[in-house]
Amino acid sequence: MLASFLGRLLLLAFPRRFRDRLGRPLVQTLVTDSRGRSGRIAWSRFTAGAFDVVRAGLGERAGSVPERRRRRAMLEALWQDLRVAGRRLNQSRGFAVVALLTLALGIGANTALFQLLEAIRFRSLPITAPSELAEVRIQNFDGARGSFSIWHAGATNGIFEEIRRRQQTFSSVFAWSTGGARFSRDTNAPRFVSQILVSGAFFETLGVQPALGRVLTDADDVRGCASPAVVLGHAFWQSEFGGDPRVLGKRIMLGRDAYEIVGVTPREFTGLEVGRRFDVAAPLCSEWLPAGSSNRLESGTEWFLIVMGRLKPGWTLDRASGHLASISPALFAAALPANYPTESIAGYRAFRLEALGAAYGVSSTREQYAAPLWFLQATALLVLLVGCANLANLMLARGAAREREIAARVALGASRLQIVRVVLAESLLLSILGAVLGAWLAHEISGAIVRFLDGRANQLYLELVLDWRVVGFTSFVAVLTCVLSGLAAAWRSCGVSAAGLLRSAERGLTDNRARVGLRRTLVIAQVALSLVLLAGALLFARSLHNLTRQDLGFRPDGVTVAYVDASGMNIPIDKRADFKEQMLRRLRSAPGVVAVGETTVVPLSNSSSDNEVWIESAAGAAGSPRASSSFSGADAGFFRTLEIPLLAGRTFDAALDTPSAPPVAIVNGAFVNQFLPAGGSAIGRRLWRQARPDFPETAYEIVGVVGNAKYEHLRQPLVPIVYTAISQRPQPSTFSQLVIRTTRTALAPEAVVPMLKGVFAQAGAAIVPTFQDYREMIDRSLVQDALLAALSGFFAVLAVLLATIGLYGSVSFAVSRRTAEIGLRMALGADRRGIFRMVIGEAFVLVAIGCATGWLIAAAVARMLGTMAYGLTPNDPATLFAACALLAVVALAASAMPARRAARLDPMVACRE
Amino acid sequence: MARPTEPAPQSFLPLTSVVFEILVTLASGDRHGYSILTEIRDRSREPLRVGSLYRAIGRLLDDRLIEELDERPDPDVDDQRRRYYRLTDLGRRVAAAEARRLDLQLRHARAARLLADRR
């Protein structure tokens, strides 16, 4: 019949299962219901019914009610489980607190380190299509001659302009440089701010839109720079100008020149250098230089630019590198500076350009901290594992104690799944709470690390965000711990034989061998991991100690380093020497000042200068082959101030060593050892220095020998150094680096800088000095090592603490399980001391096995640690032994209390248990 | 040895009004679908439709609150063979629990004077 046929069609709205079961009755009822009194189908009613059937059918498909109900039931059951778990945990608060702390610290530490790694390593720049950004560098850069004023310098201005002229692979190319600028506004005192110099295409190529005003364009970067414009960094605009929108059009002073503020960059753009943030961005043409040196734009040997560009669509990095390599010969032939040393010209012509991905910007921060951070992340993961082992052990112990309860449940019909759910719920609840607490801790820890690095390093700027990657990582870690610790416990509880457990005779006398085995394995694993971490921490601590306490060859304590910029005084060249002499005299006679010296390379300031030298053969004495030596300019006061001993000959004398006199040099002991190994006096010998840009080969007469002193950085061994006389420089510079020694008795440390500021102010109001305590500066250079030592120490202590708790809990629990056995032993004649020794002995065995395992693991990992430790072999046995000894003491402490409890048992009570 | 436990009647509450009406209808005897439909419509003036009815019946069958019987003809309607449904013990208990719940609710409503006392 039509109606029933239609009805069956309508049924298709329902899912098949429903159709099979209730399809027929439904159609039947529908048809019956649609009949009017006459018995014939009332089509209007049928249609209404039909609509309803279709709607109901689709509704049934959308989420079959049983399914939704089941889901809701499950969620409710889960919620119930969690509430029960919460009540249980509340009852055993000690366990809960320990477990939560373990989790929170483990998760927090891991997340914090991951956040840092993400900020340094994984975050791409906030620019348009960062994957299209590439950096142009010279492949075979070694042997380049000239002056390298920034750490990542890749090109001179001449090379940049040639690249811009000849390249075909980038839709747009730009260059930039970093540095500081002397900033002043209105009549405020000048101070140094961080500045980037950018070529005209910088902002446009990156696609950075201004937050206020406009950004710099090609029109701003014209040779000569008549009225230079400047763009402010967002944070600087906020802090210096209070975020005032009327800042546009205002003038500020950078160096000696006035700039007009034309715009502000958006908040998220902090430059292309990860870990740093710029305050002002000025066009390249406005190059501010320490006056007296050559213009960096004109000079072909000033390497101070980083060149980057946006790849044309369809160009890959490889293809771009190929193209750049092909234009290199012509490019460098054209860019070759006139004053380039002849011997190095061939090397210059052979330079090859290549393109490297720059989506993540460039970063000295990354280079400096990436390796330690990865290492620390691995350490944090290890600590987390130790924590999980602890948790698992604790849960196993709890599981064992609840055996009767579980047996009863099983007897009453609970399925395996239900039992597991109960145990899993506890660990899930702990994980969730631990993750939340850990996330908060992570925020605090990572903030503290950044502050630590910022305070000790130079203005580290990292924006730590809680993005999906970090949250995902945290959740993953939390779930991992839940699964690891809870599953172990849950699995064990399932293997419970109900009948056997309910028999009281079996309970308490012995412990299930398999379960004890697992607990013991966990303790051994904890001890092993703790040993590895402890050994690592001790290694770094000793390395740091070696670095800080090593003999520097000079004494930095009590010395202040001053960087003095006198360019603002506009002193004519012929008057400069006198001016400087006057300034130094003022300093020397200032109260509390013992000695003042000048140098062109401040030792351990990460700067260096080297050239090839050779010794001229003299009568009866052989010369030496060409080799590289480090160089530094100095005066007599330099050696006196830093207390570098004079071993032979004389020191510099400004009266004798004038620019017109023959050049003299003082060398150090390492130089003598390398270049004059045959012995004999070095005094009077001549050393030749290779040609430099603007200088031909020069001969120096050695007039003195001084003791060895550290040169560029602490990890560098003592290298040969040639000191030249600053007084012999043809053109005195307006920029000086001074070392000033003061006595504590006359001048308190806090009073040094204000006093010096006063002296310089007297010498000239336009002089801008910057001061740094020498010891602090050296300590700062060790920030990476300090970070490693501090954090690895923290993690090691954490791991040992966890292992101690784990050991204590394990031994404690074992004792309580074996009370009957202990009572029996006592009844059979064992004395208290014997019991004590038995318990302690068993604990010791576990620790011993753990230490042995840990030793093996440490040996395997040692090669990687070795590169980071200073002055120690990677497999340093003393360190490992010390770590083992420490763990042994810890084990003793952990098992002493339960052992005493065991020894104090009353045998009568124990047997009855 | 272990019997699969029956869910507690409480866990089904609260029932939707359709479901409750069906259980109440079946409480006074086995019925087939059309009969349930007409009785609910007459009794509670609820504009019940076929689709909703059978969805509810499906759910009740899944939860084992009602069970299917063999088909029998019903002379009162048109003598076609129709499938009959019967309330299970669990279903009876669930219906009673819901009724008690509603009664309690009504008592509170009466105490708040929302409903006149029925003496």
Side-chain angles (χ1 to χ4, degrees), chain A residues 375 530-547 715 785-786 788-790 792-793 796 858-859 861-883 886:
Chain A
F375 176 76
S530 302
L531 182 75
V532 173
L533 291 172
L534 201 58
L538 282 174
L539 203 70
F540 288 121
R542 287 183 64 194
S543 164
L544 184 67
H545 187 263
N546 285 351
L547 278 169
R715 278 166 182 249
D785 302 86
L788 267 178
S792 62
V861 163
R863 215 164 298 126
M864 188 178 67
L865 292 178
T867 55
M868 296 199 234
Y870 180 78
L872 299 165
T873 55
N875 254 326
D876 192 51
T879 312
L880 280 166
F881 190 74
L886 195 63

Side-chain angles (χ1 to χ4, degrees), chain A residues 603-627:
Chain A
L604 297 178
S605 64
N606 266 308
S607 52
S608 67
S609 164
D610 28 32
N611 289 122
E612 286 186 357
V613 302
W614 62 98
I615 302 285
E616 195 179 85
S617 45
S624 81
R626 271 171 83 121

Side-chain angles (χ1 to χ4, degrees), chain A residues 14 17-18 20-30 32-35 45 48-49 52-53 55-61 63-66 68-70 410-414, chain B residues 1-5 11-15 32-35 37-38 41 48-59 61-63 65 68 71 77-78 80-83 85:
Chain A
F14 278 88
R17 185 170 165 265
F18 188 95
D20 291 342
R21 194 164 54 160
L22 291 167
R24 248 179 58 105
L26 188 148
V27 173
Q28 221 177 23
T29 310
L30 175 66
T32 314
D33 187 46
S34 307
R35 289 191 207 281
R45 279 176 71 126
D52 175 69
V53 165
R55 194 187 52 76
L58 293 177
E60 190 73 9
R61 275 187 187 274
S64 119
V65 176
R68 269 187 272 146
R69 226 167 180 236
R70 225 174 295 138
V410 169
L412 288 172
Chain B
M1 203 182 111
R3 247 180 320 126
T5 48
S11 62
F12 290 99
L13 305 189
L15 301 175
H32 57 74
Y34 182 65
S35 159
L37 186 71
T38 48
R41 278 195 187 143
L48 185 61
R49 292 218 178 273
V50 181
S52 324
L53 171 73
Y54 276 92
R55 268 188 91 184
I57 288 178
R59 223 183 340 136
L61 283 169
D62 280 338
D63 288 339
L65 297 180
E68 281 172 325
E71 296 188 350
V77 184
D78 56 9
Q80 269 188 32
R81 293 172 68 80
R82 295 179 179 278
R83 203 170 297 166
Y85 301 99

Side-chain angles (χ1 to χ4, degrees), chain A residues 469-686:
Chain A
R469 264 187 297 227
V470 177
V471 170
F473 181 79
T474 316
S475 317
F476 166 70
V477 164
V479 166
L480 187 74
T481 58
C482 168
V483 166
L484 284 181
S485 43
L487 221 49
W491 195 254
R492 282 291 156 196
S493 342
C494 282
V496 151
S497 146
L501 276 166
L502 287 173
R503 270 188 275 138
S504 54
E506 205 175 285
R507 193 177 71 86
L509 191 60
T510 55
D511 218 338
N512 183 318
R513 186 168 291 168
R515 226 173 301 127
V516 166
L518 179 62
R519 283 209 299 273
R520 286 207 177 128
T521 314
L522 285 173
V523 171
I524 291 175
Q526 279 180 289
V527 172
L529 288 175
S530 302
L531 182 75
V532 173
L533 291 172
L534 201 58
L538 282 174
L539 203 70
F540 288 121
R542 287 183 64 194
S543 164
L544 184 67
H545 187 263
N546 285 351
L547 278 169
T548 48
R549 290 288 158 254
Q550 66 183 312
D551 184 15
L552 302 173
F554 64 95
R555 196 164 74 90
D557 303 283
V559 175
T560 309
V561 179
Y563 300 91
V564 183
D565 175 17
S567 57
M569 299 284 295
N570 288 320
I571 301 184
I573 292 187
D574 52 341
K575 299 275 196 322
R576 280 186 196 165
D578 286 334
F579 176 77
K580 188 185 288 186
E581 189 49 47
Q582 227 188 18
M583 194 170 69
L584 289 174
R585 217 178 304 141
R586 264 190 221 266
L587 276 171
R588 288 200 179 100
S589 55
V593 173
V594 170
V596 178
E598 187 180 357
T599 178
T600 58
V601 174
V602 177
L604 297 178
S605 64
N606 266 308
S607 52
S608 67
S609 164
D610 28 32
N611 289 122
E612 286 186 357
V613 302
W614 62 98
I615 302 285
E616 195 179 85
S617 45
S624 81
R626 271 171 83 121
S628 180
S629 169
S630 300
F631 273 80
S632 176
D635 65 355
F638 171 74
F639 300 108
R640 200 168 42 235
T641 309
L642 294 186
E643 297 180 8
I644 300 176
L646 181 68
L647 300 177
R650 69 167 177 88
T651 181
F652 292 126
D653 184 341
L656 274 179
D657 306 318
T658 61
S660 47
V664 296
I666 296 176
V667 297
N668 67 352
F671 184 91
V672 172
N673 287 340
Q674 181 174 340
F675 289 86
L676 295 163
S681 175
I683 311 295
R685 300 296 295 270
R686 274 153 68 90

